[in-house]
Amino acid sequence: MPNYMKRKLIVYLTGILTLAVGSNLFLNAALGVAPSCSLALTLTFLLPGSYALYNFIVNSLILILEALIARKFGKTQILQFIITFIYSYLIKLTSLFLTHIQPHTFLEQVLLAILACIVMALGITLTIHSNLTVMPYEGFIGALAFRLRKDFGRLRVIIDVTFTLASIVISLILLHNINSVGLGTIIASFLTGSVVSMYDVLFNEKLNNYLGIVVLN
């Protein structure tokens, strides 16, 4: 395997693992999860099955939306489907090592939710810059950003808010509560996309150098 491909894989797999850790940190904060995961958490209250399982199902449905917007379903989408399975498995696996992180006060919950946003944003940045493939949620936003010619980070905020509102509506109608959505979800709705944009500014050049990517000005 060429050296540059090894580096891409290292960056990408690190990103996927980081996303899984961030997802579990959200669960431990108990203030709701990231908007991209809120529908999956809602399903755990409605149906039997694990959070990791419904994360896989929801991401698979988002992958279909991405394919419709991009007007294709090729090798990239097939790879995303495989990565979705790996990501869901890593969520379950990393949860075993993060159970000891349990906040005891509301302030600690808020701080843990903010940390989860920062961690997940790093994972998103790494997967995007590896230029291999991204998770369906980011792929969906990327396809939409390309189609609408909008900035990824700003559009991410809009989509996050939309997913949050959808989870709230479903929870209120079917569960008569909003247990799957909380302050952490709201924080993530407005913070994650902005942090991704910040990471892009801070690490874009360093990641490109590590990956051997030449950017023509």
Side-chain angles (χ1 to χ4, degrees):
M1 180 183 294
N3 189 52
Y4 77 92
M5 184 55 70
K6 290 180 180 178
R7 292 189 175 190
K8 282 176 174 287
L9 283 174
I10 289 173
V11 172
Y12 186 77
L13 293 176
T14 300
I16 293 297
L17 179 61
T18 304
L19 281 171
V21 170
S23 186
N24 277 303
L25 290 177
F26 263 119
L27 286 177
N28 292 352
L31 289 176
V33 292
S36 59
C37 305
S38 58
L39 288 176
L41 185 58
T42 300
L43 289 174
T44 63
F45 293 115
L46 290 170
L47 302 166
S50 68
Y51 171 71
L53 171 63
Y54 291 121
N55 210 292
F56 173 74
I57 293 174
V58 171
N59 272 295
S60 296
L61 293 175
I62 293 174
L63 177 57
I64 294 175
L65 287 177
E66 176 197 340
L68 291 174
I69 293 174
R71 298 173 185 173
K72 65 177 182 179
F73 193 93
K75 293 181 179 179
T76 298
Q77 285 70 36
I78 293 173
L79 182 57
Q80 283 180 323
F81 181 78
I82 295 172
I83 291 301
T84 295
F85 176 80
I86 295 174
Y87 170 58
S88 299
Y89 176 77
L90 285 176
I91 288 177
K92 192 169 186 64
L93 180 64
T94 54
S95 67
L96 302 176
F97 301 96
L98 297 171
T99 53
H100 64 284
I101 302 179
Q102 297 294 335
H104 300 291
T105 66
F106 180 70
L107 177 59
E108 289 179 352
Q109 286 180 284
V110 173
L111 291 176
L112 186 57
I114 292 174
L115 176 61
C117 285
I118 295 172
V119 171
M120 289 197 76
L122 178 60
I124 293 167
T125 302
L126 291 174
T127 56
I128 290 174
H129 278 274
S130 68
N131 201 30
L132 288 176
T133 188
V134 294
M135 292 297 297
Y137 190 76
E138 281 68 47
F140 162 66
I141 297 175
L144 194 60
F146 177 79
R147 184 69 61 186
L148 300 178
R149 298 182 181 180
K150 299 292 184 180
D151 175 71
F152 177 90
R154 292 179 181 177
L155 187 59
R156 166 98 194 198
V157 173
I158 296 173
I159 299 300
D160 281 352
V161 172
T162 301
F163 266 68
T164 300
L165 292 175
S167 297
I168 290 174
V169 170
I170 293 173
S171 295
L172 286 175
I173 293 175
L174 299 179
L175 298 172
H176 307 293
N177 61 53
I178 52 173
N179 289 339
S180 59
V181 178
L183 179 59
T185 310
I186 297 173
I187 291 172
S189 298
F190 294 97
L191 185 61
T192 305
S194 301
V195 177
V196 169
S197 295
M198 181 191 71
Y199 279 142
D200 189 56
V201 173
L202 292 175
F203 301 131
N204 182 56
E205 184 177 349
K206 292 180 180 179
L207 283 171
N208 286 341
N209 289 337
Y210 177 75
L211 296 170
I213 299 174
V214 178
V215 180
L216 299 177
N217 296 322

